[in-house]
C-alpha cells in the first residue's frame, strides 16, 4: 500500500473582504481571518487581487504577506499591472487565473493553449523571480500539456463544473467531470507538474478529491467562509481538514 503525499489546505479569504467592502469599513478583516485559519491548521492563504478590487485590495495583499507565517498564494490575471504588484509583494506563489469583470467568480479555466504567447513571458518572469507559478486550468489534456510546455511548475485544476454538478445532483455530469479530473491529475503528474485543485469545494467534494494521490493542495474559500458564519472559522478549518484526512485515507485505485 503506497503512502499518499500530504494534502495541503489553502484557505481563500476573498469573501471576508467581500463582506467588509459591503460597508466600506475595516471589519471583518481578511488578515485576521488568515491568521485564525493558520492557527487552526491551514497550510497557506490564498487571495485574489481582482482588477476591479471587488474584494481583496492592494493593502490586504501587503498585510497578508507581512503578517502571515504560512505561504501566500497570490491569484491574479496575467496583466502587467498585476505582475508589478505581485513582484513587489513577493508571495510564495502566483496562480494565474482568467478574469472578466462581468463574471461573479472565476468561471472557467485559463485558455493556456489559445494564449500561450501572451502567458509565456509572465511565467518566465515569475519563475525568474523565484515565485512558484500555478496555472488555473480545466482538466483538459491539451491545456495540461501546454502548461508543462510553458514550464509552469504547478497547475490548479478547476473543480467548479464538477462541484456544481454534485450540488445539483446531476449524476451523469458529475461522473463525467470527475473522470476528467481523475485522468487530468494523472496526466499532469506524468508531465512533471505539481497538481492543485480548487473552486466550489465543500466537505463532500473535498473528501472525495482528497483521495486522488496526485493532488497535493486544495484551495477553498466560499464554502468555508459561509460555514464559518455558523460554526466559526476555527471549527470550519478543523472540519475541512478532517474531511480531507478521511478522503486521503481512503485507498482508491486512481494511482
Ligand atoms: N482557486 C482559484 C484559482 C480560484 O479562483 C478560487 C476562487 O477565487 C478558488 C480556488 C476558491 O474557490 P471557492 O471560493 O469557490 O472555494
Amino acid at each position: 500500500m503506497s503512502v499518499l503525499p500530504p494534502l495541503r489546505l489553502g484557505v481563500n479569504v476573498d469573501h471576508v473582504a467581500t463582506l467588509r467592502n459591503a460597508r466600506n469599513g475595516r471589519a471583518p478583516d481578511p488578515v485576521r481571518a488568515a491568521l485564525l485559519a493558520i492557527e487552526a491548521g491551514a497550510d497557506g492563504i490564498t487571495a485574489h487581487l481582482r482588477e476591479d478590487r471587488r474584494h481583496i485590495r492592494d493593502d490586504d495583499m501587503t498585510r497578508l504577506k507581512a503578517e502571515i507565517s504560512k505561504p501566500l498564494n497570490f491569484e491574479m490575471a496575467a496583466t502587467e499591472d498585476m505582475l508589478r504588484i505581485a513582484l513587489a509583494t513577493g508571495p510564495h506563489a502566483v496562480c494565474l487565473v482568467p478574469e472578466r469583470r462581468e463574471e461573479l467568480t472565476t468561471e472557467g479555466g485559463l485558455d493556456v493553449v489559445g494564449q500561450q504567447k501572451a502567458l509565456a513571458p509572465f511565467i518566465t518572469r515569475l519563475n525568474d523571480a523565484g515565485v512558484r507559478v500555478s496555472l488555473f486550468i480545466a482538466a483538459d489534456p491539451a491545456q495540461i500539456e501546454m502548461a508543462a510546455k510553458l514550464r509552469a511548475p504547478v497547475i490548479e485544476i478547476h473543480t467548479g463544473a464538477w462541484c456544481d454538478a454534485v450540488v445539483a445532483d446531476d449524476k451523469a455530469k458529475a461522473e463525467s467531470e470527475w473522470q476528467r479530473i481523475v485522468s487530468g491529475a494523472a496526466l499532469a503528474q506524468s508531465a512533471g507538474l505539481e497538481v492543485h485543485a480548487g473552486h466550489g469545494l465543500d466537505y463532500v467534494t473535498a473528501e472525495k478529491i482528497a483521495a486522488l494521490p496526485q493532488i497535493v493542495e486544495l484551495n477553498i474559500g466560499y464554502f468555508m467562509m459561509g460555514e464559518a458564519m455558523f460554526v466559526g472559522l476555527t471549527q470550519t478549518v478543523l472540519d475541512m481538514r478532517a474531511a480531507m484526512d478521511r478522503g486521503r485515507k481512503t485507498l482508491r485505485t486512481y494511482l
Side-chain angles (χ1 to χ4, degrees), residues 136-154:
F136 187 45
I137 58 174
D140 172 48
Q143 301 291 349
I144 293 166
E145 280 156 10
M146 185 53 73
K149 197 170 158 201
L150 293 178
R151 299 190 173 282
V154 183

Side-chain angles (χ1 to χ4, degrees), residues 114-181:
Q115 295 176 10
Q116 50 176 295
K117 281 210 173 68
L119 290 169
F122 285 90
I123 297 167
T124 305
R125 282 152 81 189
L126 288 161
N127 280 340
D128 290 350
V131 178
R132 212 158 159 75
V133 189
S134 156
L135 302 180
F136 187 45
I137 58 174
D140 172 48
Q143 301 291 349
I144 293 166
E145 280 156 10
M146 185 53 73
K149 197 170 158 201
L150 293 178
R151 299 190 173 282
V154 183
I155 59 159
E156 180 166 326
I157 294 180
H158 195 313
T159 51
W162 172 55
C163 292
D164 286 351
V166 171
V167 169
D169 204 23
D170 182 342
K171 292 194 171 54
K173 169 104 170 133
E175 183 54 25
S176 69
E177 290 294 337
W178 173 245
Q179 290 308 330
R180 203 152 76 106
I181 292 170

